[in-house]
């Protein structure tokens, strides 16, 4: 599975492509950052992010795009920009026919470091080690994008198994409900025959 991980942002949008192998084997394909200038209008900045993500999808042909789920911070302006960039990335992926997965920062940190409250230095160090990189990806947005891709490589099989189990449980519940309804109908028919 090839995953394009995206750490959304307007000023710096981290991009990382990882190939998932057998078990927990992961390999770095590419890593970088899409940058937009603060002097540009918001629509132009979002267009810049969209264009760069388009190029990465065309160049690397991922199977899925994993995006960091936006979470509440104290700085509302930063959250708004991050949410807008996240939406644009999801739209670009959807237009390319790719599934999109969202992972929270704590899910990513837990997957990569084993600790949901790990700091950026710990995440960068583990990404560097897991992908056997000669040097740590810089800036942190690039390392975070790779961490997102790794997280999805490792979590996707579990998520898929859970979805299959939920679908089987829903089918079982539907069949059980139908049997109960049929039994109730039969009881009502027998009662009617007994009275008649």
């Amino acid at each position: 599975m090839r995953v394009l991980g995206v750490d959304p942002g307007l000023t710096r949008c981290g991009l990382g492509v990882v190939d998932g192998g057998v078990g927990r084997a992961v390999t770095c394909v590419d890593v970088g950052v899409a940058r937009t200038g603060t002097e540009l209008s918001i629509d132009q900045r979002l267009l810049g992010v969209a264009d760069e993500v388009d190029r990465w999808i065309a160049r690397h042909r991922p199977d899925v795009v994993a995006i960091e789920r936006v979470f509440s911070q104290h700085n509302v302006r930063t959250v708004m920009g991050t949410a807008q960039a996240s939406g644009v990335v999801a739209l670009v992926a959807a237009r390319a026919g790719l599934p999109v997965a969202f992972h929270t920062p704590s899910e990513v940190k837990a997957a990569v470091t084993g600790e949901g409250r790990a700091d950026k230095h710990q995440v960068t160090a583990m990404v560097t080690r897991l992908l056997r990189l000669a040097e740590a990806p810089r800036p942190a947005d690039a390392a975070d994008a790779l961490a997102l891709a790794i997280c999805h490589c490792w979590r996707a099989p579990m998520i898929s198994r859970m979805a299959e189990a939920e679908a089987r449980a829903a089918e079982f519940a539907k069949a059980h409900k139908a049997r109960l309804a049929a039994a109730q109908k039969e009881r009502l028919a027998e009662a009617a025959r007994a009275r008649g």
Side-chain angles (χ1 to χ4, degrees):
M1 172 192 322
R2 175 165 287 187
V3 181
L4 169 58
V6 181
D7 181 31
L10 282 178
T11 304
R12 290 183 314 276
C13 181
L15 301 163
V17 179
V18 169
D19 282 342
V22 178
R24 292 173 68 88
V26 285
T27 307
C28 180
V29 176
D30 198 1
V31 62
V33 175
R35 298 176 190 273
T36 64
T38 55
E39 75 283 357
L40 298 173
S41 61
I42 187 74
D43 56 319
Q44 291 303 306
R45 296 180 80 185
L46 291 170
L47 180 61
V49 169
D51 288 347
E52 190 62 17
V53 172
D54 253 338
R55 282 190 284 276
W56 276 66
I57 288 173
R59 184 182 319 135
H60 297 296
R61 305 220 177 272
D63 300 305
V64 61
V65 177
I67 305 170
E68 184 172 273
R69 185 179 300 280
V70 178
F71 65 101
S72 178
Q73 295 175 334
H74 299 295
N75 188 340
V76 175
R77 188 172 172 171
T78 300
V79 171
M80 288 298 296
T82 302
Q84 290 168 326
S86 178
V88 164
V89 172
L91 175 65
V92 169
R95 282 201 174 144
L98 296 173
V100 174
F102 291 92
H103 299 285
T104 66
S106 59
E107 287 172 346
V108 174
K109 291 172 183 179
V112 174
T113 71
E115 171 55 55
R117 294 184 182 190
D119 63 28
K120 287 197 176 285
H121 297 295
Q122 291 169 303
V123 171
T124 299
M126 283 305 295
V127 164
T128 305
R129 183 180 309 157
L130 291 167
L131 294 173
R132 297 170 299 286
L133 301 174
E135 58 185 46
R138 297 277 184 245
D141 310 87
D144 289 348
L146 289 172
L148 274 153
I150 294 168
C151 173
H152 189 76
C153 284
W154 291 350
R155 288 177 53 91
M158 177 192 64
I159 292 168
S160 178
R161 286 192 300 273
M162 286 176 58
E164 289 169 10
E166 286 174 359
R168 284 193 304 272
E171 280 299 314
F172 178 78
K174 183 179 174 183
H176 183 66
K177 189 174 182 180
R179 284 193 300 274
L180 288 176
Q184 176 68 12
K185 187 176 180 182
E186 182 60 32
R187 279 194 297 276
L188 291 173
E190 284 178 17
R193 284 193 296 271
R195 284 193 306 270

